Each structure stands twice: as C-alpha cells, then as structure tokens.
C-alpha cells in the first residue's frame, strides 16, 4: 500500500499514471458509506486515491474538531481489505503551512452556503471549498467522488468546480444506510446505545415526509408534524426543510426535483440526512 504524506512524492506518483485518477476525499473513521464511494470510484477510474484529513478550517470554534474520531490504523486496514492501494494523509503543516489565519480561501455562493447547515455553521462551507480546492490542485484527479449524504456540500462543490472552471468531473455517490435506515456517518460512533436506537427516526421522518409531500398541499404543517415527532423522541432539530435539489432554496409547495433535508442534535451528536421526493 502506498501512503503519501507529502506533495512531491504524490505528484511524482501522479505523473507516472497512465489512466484516469479518481479522488475520494474523507476525514477518516471510514465506514461503509466511504467504502461504497471507493468502490464506485474504481468502476470509473484506473486509479483511486483516498485522502484522509480532518480539516480544521471547516470546524467552528465550538464544534468537535478536537474530539473528531481519528482511527488511521483501522482506516488503512479497511482500505487495504477493500483493494484500495493509495492513500494521501497530509497533516496541518502540509495543508496550512502559514497557519489558518490570513490565508486565501474559496468562498462559495451565498445562496447555496448560507441555507441549511450553513445557517448554523458559519464558515463551514468556505472551509470545505478551500480544502477541496487545495486537494484538487495537489492531486489533479480527473474524477472527484462526493457522497449524497452531504448533499449541500455536493451542490456547493459542483458549483465551485463550474465557477472556477476546475478540470474535474464531480461524481455523486448514493447515500448509504445501515439496515435500520440510519445514514452511515463517522459521528455515529459518538451515539450511546440508547441514542443509537432512536437515531434512525431522523431518516424515517424524512422518508415519511417525502412520501406524503407529493400529494400534500400544506408543506408547513407536514414540517411541524415531523419537527414535533423528532422533539418528542429526544432530538433537538436544527432544520427540517423541503428544498429545490439544485438551488437548495426552501419550497412551500411540492415540485419535481425536490429533497427533504434534516439536521438534528441527539445528545452531543449532530446528525444530518436527506431524502429525495419520489
Ligand atoms: P467525511 O469523511 O464525513 O468528510 O465524508 C467523506 C465523503 O464520504 C463525503 O463525500 C461524504 O458525503 C461521503 N459520505 C459520508 N457518509 C456517507 C454515506 N452514508 N453515504 C454515502 N456517502 C457518504
């Protein structure tokens, strides 16, 4: 297995490649959602590179950067078992050699980045776009794999790639779920056993809203119903919204190409999920 920790050796390897390269950027603590992206990448490109880097720039001051699960040894083993041979594991010194203040950043469009998660996580998507901009320049992949679990991130990065004329194809991977419907997430490891039992209700609520919103005239009362259901189960909802899947703007009447988006805290853990309207 080749584990690159610096830019020169990575670029040297990259230049030796013949066929297309797919990049799967992650923050580690890999689960089956990540591995599905790696497998999808392998069907589209000759070579797959997985990056593992917990990007401090995308965490707010009161968020879980310090506690974010870091499980590099196990991650490398999982990738090895899945047949992935190349990994990029930069550190903060490599990614932000001048620190994180007063650096050039990539600012995503307001309309996409101030809604949903962006409303309660100021600066988050600028941090995501900046690190992905850097990774794309360092790695120069032909294909970039992003999961629909972070659907807002996917839309923002698609827009960044278009706006900045980046020469990469963004390939979305379907959202992967546990058997009980809970979306795989690195943060699920924070859930205690009681919370883990309740957690699938977020997905169940979104699926229920998606099914009923096709015929419902009143999206607002559906939303209230879903919100109360989550609160009664012990969630602290952040948002529950039907949005246009392209513009991410909230909808008050059903339309084609819409998605339900939800984010809610369960104990110390913030869960997000989204479901397409059938
Ligand atoms: P993360 O390590 O959380 O930054 O995620 C890395 C990539 O994996 C992102 O493109 C995520 O959208 C994707 N991802 C995370 N969880 C899932 C999931 N349950 N299903 C599909 N993709 C996922």
């Amino acid at each position: 297995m080749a584990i690159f920790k610096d830019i020169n050796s990575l670029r040297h390897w990259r230049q030796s490649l013949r066929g297309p390269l797919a990049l799967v950027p992650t923050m580690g603590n890999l689960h089956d959602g990540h591995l599905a992206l790696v497998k999808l990448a392998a069907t589209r490109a000759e070579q797959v590179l997985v990056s593992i880097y917990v990007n401090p720039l995308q965490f707010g001051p009161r968020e879980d950067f310090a506690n974010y699960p870091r499980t590099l040894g196990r991650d490398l083993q999982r990738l090895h078992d899945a047949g992935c041979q190349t990994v990029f594991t930069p550190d903060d010194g490599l990614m932000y050699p001048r620190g994180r203040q007063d650096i050039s950043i990539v600012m995503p469009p307001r309309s996409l980045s101030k809604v949903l998660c962006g409303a309660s996580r100021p600066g988050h998507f600028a941090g995501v776009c900046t690190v992905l901009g850097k990774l794309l320049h360092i790695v120069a992949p032909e294909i970039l794999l992003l999961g629909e679990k972070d659907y807002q991130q996917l839309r923002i990065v698609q827009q960044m790639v278009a706006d900045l004329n980046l020469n990469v194809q963004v390939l979305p991977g379907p959202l992967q779920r546990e058997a009980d419907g809970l979306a795989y997430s690195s943060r699920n490891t924070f859930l205690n056993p009681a919370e883990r039992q309740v957690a699938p209700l977020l997905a169940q609520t979104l699926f229920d809203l998606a099914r009923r919103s096709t015929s419902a005239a009143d999206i607002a009362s559906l939303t209230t119903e879903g919100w109360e259901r989550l609160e009664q189960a012990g969630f602290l909802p952040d948002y529950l919204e039907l949005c246009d899947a392209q513009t991410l703007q909230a909808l008050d009447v059903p339309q084609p190409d819409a998605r339900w988006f939800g984010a809610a805290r369960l104990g110390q853990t913030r869960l997000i999920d989204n479901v397409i309207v059938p």
Side-chain angles (χ1 to χ4, degrees), residues 24-28 30-34 36-37 58 68 145-151 153 173-177 183-187:
V24 184
T26 80
M27 298 205 299
L30 300 183
H31 48 65
D32 288 0
H34 294 119
L37 283 180
Q58 69 191 67
Y68 196 85
L145 274 290
L146 294 176
E148 289 183 341
K149 157 87 184 348
D150 301 278
Y151 190 88
Q153 167 175 285
L175 198 162
Q176 306 291 321
R177 300 180 180 281
Y184 284 109
S185 165
S186 302
R187 289 190 169 96

Side-chain angles (χ1 to χ4, degrees), residues 1 9 22 28 48 52 67 74 106 115 199 214 221:
M1 198 169 195
S9 59
V48 179
I52 299 178
N67 302 331
R74 195 179 137 274
V106 181
V115 296
T214 45
S221 58

Side-chain angles (χ1 to χ4, degrees), residues 170-202:
V170 179
L171 189 61
L175 198 162
Q176 306 291 321
R177 300 180 180 281
E178 305 249 17
D180 60 9
L182 176 65
Y184 284 109
S185 165
S186 302
R187 289 190 169 96
N188 290 352
T189 47
F190 292 140
L191 296 169
N192 68 32
E195 291 164 349
R196 175 63 190 80
Q197 278 225 311
V198 175
L201 189 72
L202 178 60

